[in-house]
Amino acid sequence: DPEYSRRVELVQDLGFPAACQRLKLSPDGEFLFATGTHPPRVRVFELGQLGMKFERHLDAEVVDFQVLSEDYSKVALLLADRSVCLHAKYGAHYRTRIP
């Protein structure tokens, strides 16, 4: 159907107050991770529902991050204050600072 192939679907709440720094898909392709500034935060969007799954505010800006699981349940964040934060489904799991 040509009508179906031309439609546009938008993800709700994808904007950030200042800027979005990085975007990554989960390995299963179902979730989009986005990090932004002012205040530093990470947002996870469920692409099947076209909406935000959750948002977490952080203490410093995200330099880089890596999704550690097939879905959104585990992620490692390298922050600008030289700390590494491990997050799980339920929230922040562990944080350590690199000397």
Side-chain angles (χ1 to χ4, degrees), residues 23-97:
L23 295 171
K24 287 188 183 179
L25 276 175
S26 63
D28 66 1
E30 294 291 322
F31 300 94
L32 176 68
F33 288 77
T35 61
T37 61
H38 194 61
R41 66 183 75 189
V42 61
R43 288 181 173 174
V44 177
F45 300 91
E46 189 171 2
L47 298 178
Q49 301 294 323
L50 296 175
M52 186 165 48
K53 185 80 171 167
F54 63 85
E55 173 183 49
R56 301 215 176 113
H57 292 265
L58 304 166
D59 294 332
E61 291 182 19
V62 177
V63 175
D64 201 5
F65 69 96
Q66 186 64 44
V67 182
L68 302 175
S69 63
E70 288 295 314
D71 57 0
Y72 68 93
S73 61
K74 294 178 187 171
V75 64
L77 304 159
L78 175 63
L79 303 181
D81 66 354
R82 297 187 336 248
S83 61
V84 175
C85 295
L86 300 175
H87 283 252
K89 258 185 200 183
Y90 52 83
H93 175 70
Y94 185 75
R95 180 183 176 132
T96 187
R97 181 144 174 162

